[in-house]
Amino acid sequence: MTSVAIIDYGSGNLHSAAKAFERAARGSDTQILVTSDPDKVRQAERIVLPGVGAFRDCHDGLKAVPGMWQTLEDEARRGKPLFGICVGMQLMAARGLEHVETKGFGWIDGDVKVIEPADSTLKIPHMGWNTLDLAKPHRLFDGIALGADGLHAYFVHSYHMALKDEALLIATADYGGKVTAFVARDNIAGSQFHPEKSQALGLALIANFLEWRP
């Protein structure tokens, strides 16, 4: 049996995330575990880092779980598949610039900044359904219809990742300009949208992650 550890640090829609991963794993020999225990994270074959709310709050919440931040650093360095969702993805950046500057893991070269739509009538937060445009192919989007006629992803956020290395950009959404929707580097990947709320697109993406061998 393989296992997927969804990190519980007091931030994120853990019930919905767990249910979505369980559904995507149905019929396979995969255990989905919601945990705040670093030992169980080390034992898992894959890691999911969710996050909802402010960058600083998620940073502080994760740091408050004894040993968890360092465990994630270690497991990411070991090459274990790791998937960040929403603020969990943002924490992969070098810095979060939401209200105050806060250091992230630094796995993805970029800063988390407020969305600035070219159309001033567009409201912040960006909330709702958007199609995705693929910037470069990635295994996690295999078999998923993207583009203007493709499947939709669900977003709710005011900040996104401004990348310094465009090679790490996998997909964007259009909200008065390009918004970073998905990033990846080696064994690390992250979605600004919520796959657990994105129905067909989300389940297909999660299923790909469960089989991903970077």
Side-chain angles (χ1 to χ4, degrees):
M1 176 179 288
T2 61
S3 60
V4 178
I6 300 177
I7 310 299
D8 180 3
Y9 62 104
S11 178
N13 193 343
L14 297 178
H15 178 75
S16 293
K19 289 298 181 184
F21 274 80
E22 287 168 2
R23 184 176 175 187
R26 194 172 296 160
S28 69
D29 191 24
T30 302
Q31 177 189 30
I32 308 302
L33 177 68
V34 177
T35 183
S36 58
D37 184 341
D39 287 337
K40 292 181 179 178
V41 174
R42 281 190 288 270
Q43 294 164 11
E45 281 75 26
R46 300 171 191 278
I47 301 171
V48 178
L49 179 62
V52 171
F55 189 104
R56 183 60 175 266
D57 290 344
C58 288
H59 168 279
D60 291 351
L62 194 57
K63 285 272 191 176
V65 180
M68 187 61 81
W69 188 280
Q70 188 60 50
T71 294
L72 292 175
E73 291 267 27
D74 294 343
E75 296 308 296
R77 194 176 301 115
R78 284 179 54 201
K80 185 174 291 184
L82 197 156
F83 184 20
I85 297 173
C86 197
V87 183
M89 169 262 218
Q90 293 180 1
L91 286 171
M92 296 175 171
R95 300 183 302 170
L97 303 179
E98 185 174 354
H99 308 306
V100 294
E101 181 178 325
T102 307
K103 285 188 177 180
F105 283 103
W107 300 331
I108 302 291
D109 192 8
D111 294 333
V112 177
K113 299 180 177 180
V114 68
I115 303 168
E116 297 178 320
D119 182 350
S120 61
T121 65
L122 292 175
K123 295 180 179 179
I124 300 296
H126 167 213
M127 184 181 299
W129 296 88
N130 284 80
T131 55
L132 303 178
D133 294 311
L134 200 62
K136 62 184 293 187
H138 194 278
R139 169 69 182 85
L140 292 182
F141 284 103
D142 282 358
I144 301 176
L146 301 179
D149 298 320
L151 298 174
H152 287 68
Y154 184 78
F155 290 82
V156 53
H157 65 123
S158 299
Y159 293 77
H160 76 133
M161 197 183 292
L163 293 167
K164 294 183 179 178
D165 184 355
E166 289 294 319
L168 306 182
L169 179 65
I170 304 301
T172 61
D174 184 3
Y175 194 69
K178 288 186 178 180
V179 171
T180 300
F182 202 93
V183 298
R185 194 203 80 190
D186 302 327
N187 57 301
I188 297 162
S191 64
Q192 182 60 66
F193 57 90
H194 287 269
E196 76 279 11
K197 297 181 180 180
S198 297
Q199 300 180 359
L201 185 152
L203 287 174
L205 179 64
I206 292 169
N208 283 345
F209 173 71
L210 295 178
E211 296 181 356
W212 184 36
R213 300 192 181 281

